[in-house]
Amino acid sequence: MEEEDIVEVEVRYSEKEKYAVFDKEFMPHIDSMYNFAFRLTNDEDDANDLVQDTYLKAFRFINSFERGTNAKAWLFRILKNSFINDYRKKSKEPSKVDYQDVETTYNSTEDAEMDATTDLRTETVQDMIGDEVANALNSLPVDFRTVIILCDIEGFTYEEMAKILDIPIGTVRSRLHRARNLLKEKLKTYANSMGYKIDEAADEEEDF
């Protein structure tokens, strides 16, 4: 990742302060970082390498982090950029989806309609366990998978996601809407077999 991708502020920390910030602000998020990395790479070794690379870059650019701000979002942004710049190039991920048509369509949709899609934090889907759920999420194109992880698993706001992904909030909302619908379709058969009901009625409910 290039320096200009990270630097937004410039803080002058002493060496002692750098280690204090690293330990107090960054290290508590290491489990979430690994989970995010693993869901992006689908490989334990690659996930560990990606997390290590992220923390090395975080320390290198620690003067661009303002103590007391959202360290988790800052770290996730570095990890996401590292994945795109380094790991994605040598992975076997399918080609990036062309979102132009998709996002033009969904950006023109009323917000209320977008908010009616299944939210994994509040729907019964979150109680489902098994390889089928993980496989369904992992089978989504990485950009769709990422917005579900950030919103429905990690709990980031739209504003935080926009900063992490470097895209407008409207694009975050449209991509999440599409991603949730894709995931819901993949989960339907499994959910019904487990006694859960994910049907068209869910589209009529509000997220929050």
Side-chain angles (χ1 to χ4, degrees):
M1 175 164 34
E2 298 298 328
E3 185 171 353
E4 58 267 22
D5 292 333
I6 300 178
V7 175
E8 293 181 354
V9 298
E10 188 68 26
V11 182
R12 294 296 180 182
Y13 296 117
S14 66
E15 287 301 308
K16 182 178 180 180
E17 287 174 330
K18 287 181 180 180
Y19 286 102
V21 169
F22 190 88
D23 290 338
K24 182 178 179 180
E25 303 274 0
F26 297 168
M27 290 307 296
H29 303 297
I30 193 166
D31 289 340
S32 292
M33 296 287 286
Y34 174 79
N35 290 336
F36 185 38
F38 181 75
R39 290 182 184 279
L40 290 177
T41 63
N42 294 319
D43 184 271
E44 291 183 5
D45 290 336
D46 284 346
N48 282 319
D49 289 344
L50 185 53
V51 171
Q52 181 178 7
D53 184 58
T54 299
Y55 273 96
L56 287 172
K57 288 176 179 176
F59 189 80
R60 177 185 175 191
F61 295 105
I62 200 167
N63 284 330
S64 69
F65 173 76
E66 186 174 358
R67 188 171 0 194
T69 58
N70 194 333
K72 184 178 179 181
W74 192 79
L75 290 168
F76 268 59
R77 182 182 179 190
I78 296 175
L79 190 150
K80 181 269 303 182
N81 286 342
S82 294
F83 172 71
I84 290 174
N85 294 338
D86 302 324
Y87 293 87
R88 197 183 205 176
K89 292 177 182 177
K90 52 188 178 183
S91 75
K92 296 181 180 179
E93 286 283 353
S95 299
K96 190 173 181 180
V97 175
D98 182 358
Y99 297 107
Q100 184 173 358
D101 291 337
V102 172
E103 289 171 351
T104 297
T105 300
Y106 283 96
N107 280 330
S108 64
T109 305
E110 293 294 331
D111 287 349
E113 182 181 344
M114 291 185 186
D115 287 341
T117 55
T118 301
D119 185 337
L120 300 186
R121 293 169 295 178
T122 57
E123 296 290 331
T124 54
V125 176
Q126 67 181 340
D127 296 323
M128 293 161 53
I129 57 175
D131 291 339
E132 289 86 351
V133 178
N135 290 340
L137 181 61
N138 291 338
S139 69
L140 295 179
V142 67
D143 295 274
F144 287 146
R145 187 164 76 238
T146 299
V147 291
I148 289 181
I149 295 169
L150 293 178
C151 184
D152 294 334
I153 297 177
E154 295 298 335
F156 286 110
T157 65
Y158 292 150
E159 291 79 7
E160 290 168 338
M161 291 169 64
K163 290 181 180 179
I164 292 170
L165 300 172
D166 297 318
I167 58 178
I169 291 177
T171 303
V172 170
R173 292 172 65 85
S174 63
R175 192 172 296 179
L176 182 62
H177 175 72
R178 178 61 174 158
R180 285 172 174 169
N181 281 339
L182 288 173
L183 182 60
K184 186 180 71 172
E185 289 301 315
K186 291 178 179 292
L187 287 174
K188 263 186 179 178
T189 301
Y190 174 61
N192 290 334
S193 72
M194 295 292 290
Y196 294 98
K197 297 300 181 184
I198 304 179
D199 51 33
E200 295 307 316
D203 286 339
E204 302 301 325
E205 299 178 359
E206 291 291 330
D207 276 355
F208 303 100

